[in-house]
Each structure stands twice: as C-alpha cells, then as structure tokens.
Amino acid sequence: MALAAVTVLGVAGCTRPAQYEGRDGIFDPYESGNRKTHEFNRDVDRALLRPLAKGYVAVVPDGIVISVGKFAENLGEPSNAVNHLLQGNVRGVGRNVTRFLINSTLGFAGLFDPASDFGLYPDKTDFGETLHVWGASEGAYVELPVFGPSTERDAAGRVVDMFTNPLSYVLPTQEAAAANSAKVAAKLGDRGRYSDLVDSVLYESADSYAQGRILYLQNRRHDLGMDTEDTYIAPEDVNTQGF
Amino acid sequence: MSRFTRRTFMATSAAALMALALPLPAFALNDAEARGLVDNLVSEINDVIASGKSETAMYGDFERIFRKYADLPYIAAYAMGVDARRASDSQKKAFTNAFTGYISRKYGKRFREFIGGRLEVQGVKQVKSFYQVTTTAFLRGEAPFEVDFHVSDRSGKNLFFNMYIEGINMLLTEREEVGSMLDRRKGDIDAMIADLAKAG
C-alpha cells in the first residue's frame, strides 16, 4: 500500500507545469489522444450506456434507483474514511464512520440515508484528493476510457482506490460481487437520472470534449478547495462597450 | 505606508463620511441589497419551477428573470472573450440578444430539474469589489449542493454577473462554448450568432 502510494506520487508528478498552462487554467498536452478517447467514450455512451441507463430508470421506480445508488454510496464510506485518515482529516473520518454505522443499521444496509436526515450529509473523498493533500500537483488533463474526464493525479488516485476499501478485504466473494454490481447499477442510475444534463454536454454542445474538460476541472478543483477567492472573475475584468 | 493600508484608508474615509453625515451614494451596494436581490431572484425561480407550466413557457419565464436580474452585457462580453475586439457594435448587440435566449434555455433546463426541490439563500459576503451570495440547492435523493451568485452594481444597477453551481461558473463555461462555436464556424461571428439563436 505504502509502496503503491509512493509509486503513484512519482507518476502523478511526471507532467508538472510551473503554472496552469494554456487558456483558462487548462493543461492538456495529450489533447489529440484525449480526443480520440473521448470519441470512443461517446460511442460507448451512445451505443450502450445511454440506452441501458434510460431503460433502467424507465422500468425501475425512482425510489429503488435512488436506494441502489445509496446502497453503493454506503459501501464506499469505509474507503472515504481511509482516505480522510490518510489526509489527517479527523472530522471527515468521524463523519464517514458515523454515516456508515447509522445507514448500515437504521438505513437497512445502506438502502436509505437516515444520516442525512440528522444533518450528516455525505462527505466523499478519494485517493486523488489524498494525493492533493499530500502536495502532488494536478498534472495534465486526461480523458480515461469509460471513466471519462480526469487528471494525471486523479487517474493515479483511481488506481490506488481499487485497494483502499477495507470492505473489499472482508466481504465474501458473493457479497463482493453484489457490491460491484450495485456500483455499476448506481452509475447507470446516475446516467439515467441526469440524462438531459449529460446529453446536453455530450451531444448538444459545440465541442463536447472541451465542455467536458472545463466542467470536470472546475468541479474537481472546487471539491478539492482549490478555487479560492483569487480565482473568482471580477466585474471589471472585461470591456462591455457595445454589448 | 505599511500601516496605512487600503483597508484602513477605506475605513477612515467611511468614518469621515459618516462624521459629515453625508448621504451614502445611491450606488453603494451592501450585504442586505445583494442578499435581497438573490432572495427575489430565487423566489421567482422557485415560482417558475412550481408553476407546472410547459417547458417552452418556462423558458420564456426564465428569460424574463435573466433580463431582470442578470448583468447580460457583462456576461455576453465575457463569453465572447478576445473575439469581441474584432466584432462590430451591431454584432455585439445581436450577440447579447441571441446569447440571452441561449442561456435562458440552457440554464432554464437545469433549473427545471429542481422541480420538487428548492433553492435557499444561506449567506452573503463581500469579495473584492462584489458580493457573493451563497445558496443551497436541496434536491430529492441528492446531497445538498452550493449555488452561488456573484452580484455587482458595476452597471449602475444591482445585478448578478456570474453564477457558480458546485464550482462550475457560467462565465468560464460559456466562454469555452462560444469559443468552440466560433471555431466550428472558422471564426465567422455572424454564423456563430445564428447558431447560438438555435442552441441551448
């Protein structure tokens, strides 16, 4: 685990711009390759994910789609706790553990989220964030096959997160398989429930690759607390003459 | 110099103004006004969401809300970016108009997804020369998330000039999209405006 982390830190640090380069804080030296992956992802979505997801949310009642999502989310809490621990975020660990205990019991094995009713809202994290806390730079933007928009740092984090969930070491094979199915179903549920939003980015924007890239980077930097007040756009920044 | 910072200068000037009992300038936006603007904006958005009108009727309502509360010339100018330098005044006007319809449809669609949910104003704080009004969106089956409005009196009126949804801001995102639309038309501004009128 520690060895993996060190390796990953080395990988995450391999493409390191002094500052964000290019327009709007985007560092995308692999753009041509990324665009090919994007076309592949769009084909997969169009042919497989989108129709499956639409069918899934059309057939399965909304309450069950949400419960499956919650179930998968609950199974991720131990991984969140481990990463919060690695980040030295004690409050985060406390929240993840408490949520896991409440939702696994009162929430019928995580199908419901009573913890949120008590004001204990989800606090997700991952090894990509841990790398950020440890000081690794974001690296270049990358679009991963199937998983979609990412950065070098987050892609490395994804690899390590295959090993950060304690549940994966204790669950018997059958239960582990069920957990993985739930995760896939949760992804389909998200794709189905936010169908219009995802469609608008993938199929209605002038350049879906560029839109996906800027949406991901902004949202991710926000989640990691990288968008400070200095990054806000001020009302004096452009000349409005003629508009 | 080191102790006479911009902040102390502002504080001193403000104190001097108070001492002279001068009426505060009408354009001085404050916390309460910025919050009030977003309170009204949010309540109008919530009304439209709850109205149960057809999709097209809702877009009309959202466009009216955008025209009332948003600093459209600023948002349009930012979205056009450096290409504005080679645009004529009539192109700029046509762009602002087409862009307004476009963002009303595009963001109206997103607000429509708030059906059954609500926006709640949380707080306001001054950032640089403007105010940030933080609201929380509560949607069914979702962890609550932040929607922020940045409010300025740059234009002489109190209007919002940017909106952040979970860190994603409208200005940057739309400048990217308008840039892509221009690229697709090989830089032809009129063709881009025609596309914009149909997009969103």
Side-chain angles (χ1 to χ4, degrees):
Chain A
M1 171 72 209
L3 184 68
V6 169
T7 316
V8 161
L9 266 179
V11 173
C14 69
T15 316
R16 188 179 305 219
Q19 279 288 315
Y20 293 134
E21 286 171 31
R23 196 167 48 136
D24 298 334
I26 292 166
F27 177 56
D28 189 2
Y30 311 126
E31 180 164 346
S32 63
N34 283 340
R35 280 188 180 273
K36 291 197 183 80
T37 310
H38 181 73
E39 279 317 306
F40 169 77
N41 284 345
R42 242 164 59 124
D43 290 344
V44 170
D45 182 79
R46 210 183 340 242
L48 200 66
L49 275 179
R50 186 174 184 275
L52 272 178
K54 287 207 147 201
Y56 174 56
V57 297
V59 171
V60 179
D62 205 28
I64 295 178
V65 172
I66 291 175
S67 267
V68 169
K70 289 287 170 197
F71 179 71
E73 184 179 79
N74 190 54
L75 292 174
E77 291 291 4
S79 173
N80 291 328
V82 166
N83 276 304
H84 272 141
L85 190 67
L86 293 172
Q87 293 159 23
N89 181 346
V90 178
R91 278 179 68 97
V93 177
R95 175 169 292 233
N96 298 141
V97 170
T98 315
R99 279 181 54 81
F100 185 66
L101 293 177
I102 292 176
N103 288 344
S104 299
T105 52
L106 295 178
F108 297 95
L111 290 172
F112 301 94
D113 182 10
S116 282
D117 299 332
F118 301 138
L120 275 173
Y121 292 112
D123 186 1
K124 286 187 199 169
T125 185
D126 49 57
F127 200 76
E129 180 161 14
T130 302
L131 289 172
H132 166 67
V133 171
W134 288 356
S137 64
E138 186 179 69
Y141 176 78
V142 285
E143 180 151 343
L144 303 174
V146 185
F147 295 108
S150 192
T151 60
E152 286 181 311
R153 182 175 63 198
D154 292 334
R158 270 187 178 278
V159 175
V160 176
D161 273 328
M162 295 196 285
F163 307 99
T164 52
N165 198 335
L167 284 183
S168 62
Y169 301 100
V170 296
L171 283 182
T173 323
Q174 225 169 353
E175 278 76 0
N180 284 329
S181 311
K183 275 181 215 162
V184 173
K187 291 275 176 242
L188 276 185
D190 286 345
R191 177 65 183 91
R193 292 182 67 221
Y194 304 109
S195 188
D196 288 348
L197 174 62
V198 181
D199 284 356
S200 81
V201 176
L202 281 184
Y203 305 114
E204 286 159 34
S205 53
D207 180 352
S208 61
Y209 172 76
Q211 275 294 298
R213 180 176 61 188
I214 198 147
L215 292 171
Y216 175 79
L217 288 175
Q218 289 183 81
N219 182 245
R220 183 63 178 165
R221 287 170 185 170
H222 174 72
D223 283 347
L224 300 189
M226 293 165 75
D227 59 345
T228 56
E229 287 175 4
D230 299 335
T231 64
Y232 289 159
I233 298 158
E236 302 84 22
D237 282 0
V238 290
N239 180 3
T240 58
Q241 182 68 46
F243 282 94
Chain B
M1 181 59 212
S2 63
R3 296 198 60 81
F4 202 72
T5 60
R6 185 180 149 83
R7 190 185 293 266
T8 52
F9 173 74
M10 301 276 278
T12 322
S13 319
L17 275 177
M18 298 287 266
L20 287 168
L22 285 175
L24 284 170
F27 56 78
L29 177 61
N30 59 36
D31 271 35
E33 283 179 6
R35 191 189 171 116
L37 175 91
V38 177
D39 273 333
N40 293 339
L41 166 67
V42 162
S43 116
E44 289 205 31
I45 292 174
N46 285 340
D47 285 350
V48 176
I49 296 168
S51 71
K53 287 187 188 174
S54 75
E55 212 171 309
T56 351
M58 276 196 191
Y59 298 153
D61 286 346
F62 284 123
E63 178 159 349
R64 186 182 47 74
I65 291 173
F66 266 105
R67 288 190 187 277
K68 185 168 163 190
Y69 292 100
D71 187 351
L72 293 166
Y74 182 85
I75 299 170
Y78 193 95
M80 203 188 243
V82 289
D83 289 291
R85 287 183 204 148
R86 58 184 179 89
S88 70
D89 275 8
S90 67
Q91 282 177 322
K92 288 177 181 174
K93 281 271 174 278
F95 176 75
T96 306
N97 205 32
F99 184 77
T100 302
Y102 159 74
I103 55 171
S104 305
R105 292 186 294 276
K106 182 167 172 180
Y107 289 81
K109 272 183 197 164
R110 298 289 79 78
F111 286 133
R112 257 177 61 85
E113 288 161 5
F114 289 10
I115 289 176
R118 67 188 193 282
L119 282 173
E120 251 177 39
V121 177
Q122 301 294 332
V124 55
K125 75 171 175 182
Q126 190 171 4
V127 181
K128 299 179 197 168
S129 61
F130 61 91
Y131 286 84
Q132 177 181 22
V133 183
T134 305
T135 76
T136 304
F138 294 92
L139 269 66
R140 190 167 165 265
E142 272 309 296
F145 60 87
E146 240 183 82
V147 179
D148 291 352
F149 293 91
H150 289 183
V151 178
S152 154
D153 57 1
R154 177 201 72 82
S155 62
K157 275 196 284 184
N158 300 335
L159 298 167
F160 80 85
F161 67 94
N162 202 1
M163 180 167 70
Y164 280 71
I165 303 176
E166 287 190 283
I168 294 165
N169 84 76
M170 180 168 70
L171 291 178
L172 204 57
T173 307
E174 294 314 328
R175 188 167 67 184
E176 185 80 37
E177 181 66 359
V178 169
S180 297
M181 288 175 128
L182 268 170
D183 286 348
R184 200 167 60 177
R185 289 298 193 167
K186 302 193 167 47
D188 182 339
I189 291 176
D190 292 324
M192 177 271 288
I193 294 171
D195 287 346
L196 199 57
K198 288 174 277 172

